Amino acid sequence: MISARPVQGTFRRLRWWANAILIALLFAVPWVRIGGQPLVLLDVPARRFHVFGLTIFPQELYFLWLIVAALAFALFFFTALAGRLWCGWACPQTVFTDVFAAVARRIQGWSRGGPPARIAAWRRVATHAAWIGLSAVVGFHLVGYFRSPYEILGAVRAGDLHGASMAFWAAGTALCYFDFAVVRQTFCKYLCPYARFQGVLFDRDTLVVAYDAGRGEPRGKKGTVDGDCVDCHLCVEVCPTDIDIRQGLQLECIACTQCIDACDGVMDQVGRPSKLIGYRSLRGLEGAGTARLARPRVLVYGTALVLAGVVFATLLAARKPLAMQVAHNPASLFQKMADGRVGNAFTLHLQNRDRTDRVFRLQLKPAGEYDLVSGMNPLLIPATSSLETRVFVIARDPDVNGGALRQVTFVLEELEHPDRRVERTSSFMLPQWVGGGGSR
Ligand code: SF4
Ligand code: SF4
């Protein structure tokens, strides 16, 4: 069921602006390009994750884990301080469910008192049509975080309606429609994992949306009781999760603040002070003083958040803009040549992690012991790309040191900045060492 029209008030206005900024950001981010690279794109098929200027390769997934860990610690930190701030103010589930409900109320002609006595069939059809259209827009941008929106639009323009891009978009649209139009706040009440464990993040100093029972009770019509609550039920009517905040803190409360605005309006009308429902701590409600900011759990979560940031910054500072992996060609460990020399084939996996195209030179160490045969050298590797190349290394004198196990070091350095380099060492296979006398 669509929740009642929210009452205008301070929090309603603040949330409207917060939602507008959040939606603008969520929609804008997939389109933004910096130096030709996406600002955020979790490109799973290409195994590259673009996150705010950093392109993360599969070997560097620890960056992604650190970002996720920092977000989790930030969530814990702010939850311990101010309750379910995320749920009420920033969670896309809340934001888009509110938008879908607002669209429905507008199309169906709801008044302040609720829906009209009878909603015409065409209005119901128009509501679902609008929801499907909205779902397509939201789903498009949701998929845009995993597949470039420019690619999806290109597929639409090319009429490729059966491709993967269209399939993802259709799935994203269906998911958004089902979630924001059908499931709505049921997700918050019964399915959201965060709602299940947020209780353990709270303590007596956490700020939550709460009813001041000491001031409100006994409740009843104005003039008939001493309490300030006039039992108008408006706080219950506007609650999107259908709870009565006067019964105390409940798991279902997403801290959307709609009951605060509703009750403030009532208090204004009956000439009593506002904030009968408001942000307050259990400590404050019990009259045991004001909420403390510095508490063990806040300090632990804050320290963990700072540590995650420091580790991330340290790893980022030490990050090399290029990478190389070396693998022996398993099909042929060595080859004996007509002149008696021995060669080994290698596959090199090279990465340019920079956001600009770079040219690299490949060399061998120790110099003078090996010859490098490569189809291309220097090599151009486009920005944030990988390149796989096969090379053949020939030992000039395979009998040096009596044919003992030998090592060859590959050196990859940027042509214009030779100080940007990586080295990888691999074994060089000889017939004596492998135990064979010919090509393998
Ligand atoms: S009790 Fe108040 S803050 Fe909590 S979900 Fe209901 S309206 Fe929102
Ligand atoms: S809106 Fe305020 S006055 Fe009305 S029932 Fe709720 S707490 Fe009581």
Side-chain angles (χ1 to χ4, degrees):
M1 190 187 136
I2 302 163
S3 57
R5 187 188 288 266
V7 174
Q8 286 301 333
T10 310
F11 285 105
R12 170 77 185 148
R13 279 188 288 279
L14 285 174
R15 281 184 73 239
W16 191 94
W17 279 108
N19 289 358
I21 292 168
L22 193 92
I23 291 172
L25 280 176
L26 282 173
F27 282 6
V29 164
W31 297 96
V32 178
R33 293 277 179 282
I34 298 176
Q37 300 293 324
L39 182 64
V40 175
L41 181 70
L42 305 177
D43 192 348
V44 178
R47 293 187 294 165
R48 269 177 296 170
F49 305 101
H50 303 270
V51 186
F52 295 109
L54 176 68
T55 302
I56 300 171
F57 288 81
Q59 298 83 355
E60 306 179 292
L61 276 184
Y62 47 84
F63 278 118
L64 213 53
W65 289 121
L66 278 170
I67 292 171
V68 172
L71 289 175
F73 289 136
L75 187 64
F76 296 169
F77 177 75
F78 287 110
T79 302
L81 271 182
R84 292 175 73 170
L85 270 187
W86 164 258
C87 299
W89 294 78
C91 177
Q93 177 74 27
T94 307
V95 171
F96 285 113
T97 303
D98 278 0
V99 171
F100 275 53
V103 167
R105 286 193 295 261
R106 174 62 64 98
I107 294 174
Q108 295 177 4
W110 285 41
S111 66
R112 181 65 60 206
R118 189 183 153 275
I119 300 172
W122 73 265
R123 286 184 189 266
R124 292 187 190 276
V125 172
T127 301
H128 285 277
W131 279 346
I132 290 169
L134 262 177
S135 300
V137 175
V138 180
F140 178 86
H141 290 88
L142 182 70
V143 174
Y145 282 83
F146 298 89
R147 210 170 176 100
S148 165
Y150 297 100
E151 252 180 51
I152 305 174
L153 280 189
V156 174
R157 279 200 210 99
D160 178 17
L161 300 184
H162 303 290
S165 299
M166 291 304 297
F168 278 117
W169 186 6
T173 302
L175 180 72
C176 290
Y177 176 78
F178 181 68
D179 193 21
F180 303 137
V182 181
V183 177
R184 292 196 276 261
Q185 269 92 2
T186 305
F187 181 88
C188 312
K189 285 173 78 170
Y190 302 114
L191 300 173
C192 177
Y194 170 54
R196 303 296 107 192
F197 73 79
Q198 44 93 23
V200 299
L201 303 173
F202 285 15
D203 61 17
R204 291 175 67 231
D205 293 286
T206 301
L207 286 179
V208 292
V209 174
Y211 166 73
D212 186 350
R215 190 188 131 192
E217 302 295 324
R219 67 183 81 154
K221 272 194 167 173
K222 188 183 175 189
T224 62
V225 290
D226 289 338
D228 277 356
C229 173
V230 293
D231 206 14
C232 65
H233 271 256
L234 198 55
C235 53
V236 185
E237 281 170 29
V238 297
C239 178
T241 58
D242 297 320
I243 59 170
D244 186 344
I245 191 70
R246 296 173 299 171
Q247 292 172 6
L249 185 62
Q250 290 152 75
L251 191 69
E252 293 87 351
C253 175
I254 57 171
C256 69
T257 67
Q258 292 187 31
C259 54
I260 301 181
D261 283 334
C263 191
D264 278 355
V266 175
M267 291 295 108
D268 198 32
Q269 284 172 25
V270 298
R272 288 179 178 162
S274 61
K275 302 291 170 276
L276 177 57
I277 302 174
Y279 270 111
R280 45 178 62 97
S281 67
L282 289 180
R283 184 184 296 278
L285 277 176
E286 291 163 2
T290 50
R292 297 171 303 150
L293 272 183
R295 292 118 58 194
R297 70 180 62 208
V298 172
L299 295 177
V300 168
Y301 299 144
T303 307
L305 178 59
V306 172
L307 269 180
V310 169
V311 173
F312 186 90
T314 308
L315 288 173
L316 196 59
R319 184 184 194 238
K320 288 196 179 265
L322 67 167
M324 172 169 58
Q325 288 172 310
V326 178
H328 242 286
N329 185 352
S332 166
L333 291 179
F334 65 86
Q335 283 182 14
K336 253 186 167 177
M337 310 180 75
D339 59 5
R341 293 186 299 163
V342 174
N344 280 196
F346 293 89
T347 302
L348 306 184
H349 189 78
L350 313 174
Q351 279 176 2
N352 172 14
R353 295 169 172 172
D354 220 346
R355 297 205 142 214
T356 43
D357 299 354
R358 299 280 180 200
V359 180
F360 297 95
R361 180 171 43 216
L362 195 58
Q363 299 178 89
L364 296 176
K365 279 194 343 189
E369 282 193 23
Y370 299 102
D371 290 319
L372 176 69
V373 181
S374 167
M376 47 181 177
N377 193 16
L379 311 108
L380 169 72
I381 310 181
T384 66
S385 293
S386 301
L387 180 83
E388 201 170 87
T389 183
R390 298 205 169 169
V391 298
F392 196 61
V393 177
I394 302 170
R396 289 182 185 169
D397 181 5
D399 292 324
V400 72
N401 293 334
L405 176 64
R406 293 166 62 162
Q407 305 273 293
V408 58
T409 300
F410 293 84
V411 181
L412 182 73
E413 63 183 25
E414 196 183 324
L415 210 55
E416 288 180 9
H417 304 280
D419 53 310
R420 290 189 192 162
R421 52 157 50 199
V422 283
E423 297 187 0
R424 292 286 176 269
T425 299
S426 178
S427 300
F428 188 88
M429 302 294 184
L430 292 169
Q432 305 91 311
W433 189 74
V434 175
S439 294
R440 292 266 172 132

